[in-house]
Amino acid sequence: MSIVETPETPSDQQVSPHFYTHSALFSGFARMRHMWKIAIPVILINAVAQALLIIPSSTGGVTALFLLTVIVSAVVLLASAAFVQAASIEGALAHTTWSEVAQRVRSCGARFSITIVALAVLVILGMLLSPWLGLAVAAVCCFVTLAAMDGEANPAAANFRTIAARPVRWVVTMVIIGAVALVLWLLLAVNWFFIPTPAGSFIATTVCGIVTWWWSNSLALIYLSAKAARTETSEQV
């Protein structure tokens, strides 16, 4: 009996995941549909919390209540960022669920928290020396929190590997994000001038949350694309 070899079909071959098309920002916006059931509630909860937490600080003076609201505000913001970035990673290629995102936060949340706090300190120190330096630090380290949420043992090294693998994509994306951030900053200034109340805080925090969710998705696609390319290269060697 002769054995006839069956040609390998496309479904049998290992196909590289397609993370983005011509623009990571356009693709990141489109992928928001994969995790909106997680991100939208998280963003709204954070916005409500931040709006309520500015009420005690409106009385003026540094009091124990004021310090407590600052700490609670930071913790809520940190938790929100963790869930949004976890959703960006889990929902990069397909719809994700609360259980998948929560599992990632549980396994990588501590590393993410340490990384984002360290990054915030570096950016603030840079801003104190020069606003441009602070912005440069944020741009150069834009993948570090994603790498931490992805479970990388050395998020900083993973961040720079991503930039080295996608230098042009990184520069173009950072320039566009910078332009959008400038327009957003001006709009938020107008918002706070006319609505300096918890309602204004809710509007500002909601808008910032949605925009940063979009940016997180876009950067996650670049990061995961570079990571997938490294994995393919190592498997071929």
Side-chain angles (χ1 to χ4, degrees), residues 186-212:
L186 294 173
L187 292 175
L188 292 178
V190 172
N191 170 75
W192 191 247
F193 179 80
F194 287 104
I195 318 175
T197 62
S201 172
F202 175 81
I203 294 170
T205 309
T206 301
V207 172
C208 286
I210 293 173
V211 173
T212 52

Side-chain angles (χ1 to χ4, degrees), residues 130-198:
S130 167
W132 290 109
L133 179 59
L135 293 174
V137 171
V140 170
C141 299
C142 63
F143 300 106
V144 71
T145 56
L146 285 164
M149 185 56 75
D150 193 38
E152 288 284 349
N154 190 337
N159 171 81
F160 291 116
R161 284 197 300 268
T162 303
I163 294 175
R166 301 286 187 271
V168 176
R169 181 75 60 179
W170 168 69
V171 171
V172 171
T173 303
M174 286 297 102
V175 169
I176 296 174
I177 285 178
V180 175
L182 177 59
V183 174
L184 180 62
W185 179 77
L186 294 173
L187 292 175
L188 292 178
V190 172
N191 170 75
W192 191 247
F193 179 80
F194 287 104
I195 318 175
T197 62

Side-chain angles (χ1 to χ4, degrees), residues 23 28 33 39 42 44 56 66 117 142-143 145 157 164 188 190 216 220 231:
S23 170
R33 70 185 188 277
V42 167
L44 291 178
F66 171 78
V117 169
C142 63
F143 300 106
T145 56
L188 292 178
V190 172
S216 175
T231 303

Side-chain angles (χ1 to χ4, degrees), residues 22 38 49 52 82 87 90 101 104 107 147 167 216 231:
H22 299 293
I38 293 93
L52 294 175
E90 290 292 338
V101 172
R104 180 170 291 278
S107 60
S216 175
T231 303

Side-chain angles (χ1 to χ4, degrees), residues 84-148:
V84 169
Q85 291 231 305
S88 295
I89 293 174
E90 290 292 338
L93 293 176
H95 290 271
T96 188
T97 62
W98 273 104
S99 60
E100 292 172 341
V101 172
Q103 176 58 38
R104 180 170 291 278
V105 172
R106 283 194 296 268
S107 60
C108 303
R111 181 182 284 108
F112 171 84
S113 300
I114 294 170
T115 302
I116 198 170
V117 169
L119 177 60
V121 171
L122 288 176
V123 171
I124 291 171
L125 291 176
M127 287 286 187
L128 293 176
L129 296 174
S130 167
W132 290 109
L133 179 59
L135 293 174
V137 171
V140 170
C141 299
C142 63
F143 300 106
V144 71
T145 56
L146 285 164

